[in-house]
Amino acid sequence: MRAKSTFEEPRRGIFRPAARGFRRDQTGTSAIEFAILAAPFFAFLLLILELAIVYLIGQALENATQESARLVRTGQAETFSLQSFAKNVCDRMTALPNCEKNLRVDVRIVPDFKTAAGLPTPTVDGKDRFRFDTGRGNDIVLVRTYYDWSGSPALPALIKFGIGERAAVTAANTYTLNSAAVFRNEPFS
């Protein structure tokens, strides 16, 4: 009789002992434990997925705002209207549903950089006070964009924990993501 080599592994499946134990268990505790733990696990998994989507949209909004602000900085947006500038921002944010409907843009001249940091949101008493003034050469301009994203009702806690001031949660479970760029126009006049 030939001796077995010490390098040979027995051919057993990794999950075979666990599956045998699960089949022999007639009390159903394993199934009950799985049912108890599965719902929170999958809910948490979906919340993480949605939070990742919100971060992705926030980053897309940030990039689109910076790229569109470059048009203002160089004087190329002088002929734009508020709607055409918003369309330009949306064109740079790919694959977002109802972008032009959910996007609000505010472009205004500010006296200095310090003032730009302290300006409140251009919504006062429920009324939007958005402007579109690209200014002239050497003016300091503030470009702000706001995108309303409808999310799940369970996400506000994760949003407040993870994103902080970049997103505001409204009563209708809509998260307003925002981005801003402040700069001095190039001397194009």
Side-chain angles (χ1 to χ4, degrees):
M1 176 172 219
R2 194 174 128 196
K4 259 190 172 181
S5 171
T6 57
F7 297 107
E8 290 181 19
E9 289 281 326
R11 298 183 113 196
R12 281 187 244 168
I14 296 172
F15 299 110
R16 211 173 258 168
R20 223 177 301 131
F22 189 80
R23 258 185 283 138
R24 265 190 256 136
D25 189 7
Q26 298 295 320
T27 60
T29 56
S30 298
I32 292 171
E33 288 173 359
F34 178 76
I36 290 170
L37 294 176
F41 173 74
F42 287 117
F44 191 64
L45 195 64
L46 290 174
L47 286 175
I48 290 172
L49 180 65
E50 187 168 352
L51 187 61
I53 290 170
V54 170
Y55 271 112
L56 181 69
I57 292 170
Q59 189 61 43
L61 179 66
E62 186 75 31
N63 290 340
T65 301
Q66 296 300 324
E67 289 176 13
S68 297
R70 177 77 180 143
L71 298 175
V72 174
R73 185 179 310 130
T74 58
Q76 299 174 40
E78 282 185 314
T79 59
F80 283 19
S81 66
L82 180 63
Q83 290 77 21
S84 61
F85 187 76
K87 183 177 180 341
N88 185 283
V89 173
C90 283
D91 289 345
R92 296 172 190 277
M93 293 176 31
T94 57
L96 283 180
N98 301 322
C99 179
E100 290 181 42
K101 178 184 166 202
N102 294 334
L103 183 75
R104 294 171 290 154
V105 176
D106 181 51
V107 179
R108 61 179 67 203
I109 299 171
V110 291
D112 56 21
F113 289 101
K114 190 175 182 180
T115 305
L119 282 178
T121 304
T123 302
V124 179
D125 298 328
K127 297 178 183 174
D128 290 338
R129 304 203 190 279
F130 292 94
R131 296 184 194 164
F132 187 75
D133 185 4
T134 59
R136 297 182 182 153
N138 293 320
D139 283 344
I140 298 174
V141 179
L142 172 64
V143 176
R144 296 185 287 185
T145 55
Y146 301 89
Y147 184 80
D148 296 328
W149 172 257
S150 298
S152 72
L155 193 60
L158 286 177
I159 291 267
K160 289 176 184 172
F161 176 74
I163 297 177
E165 293 184 9
R166 287 192 59 200
V169 181
T170 64
N173 291 323
T174 300
Y175 311 103
T176 303
L177 299 164
N178 61 57
S179 177
V182 61
F183 50 86
R184 184 180 300 276
N185 279 345
E186 294 178 3
F188 53 81
S189 296

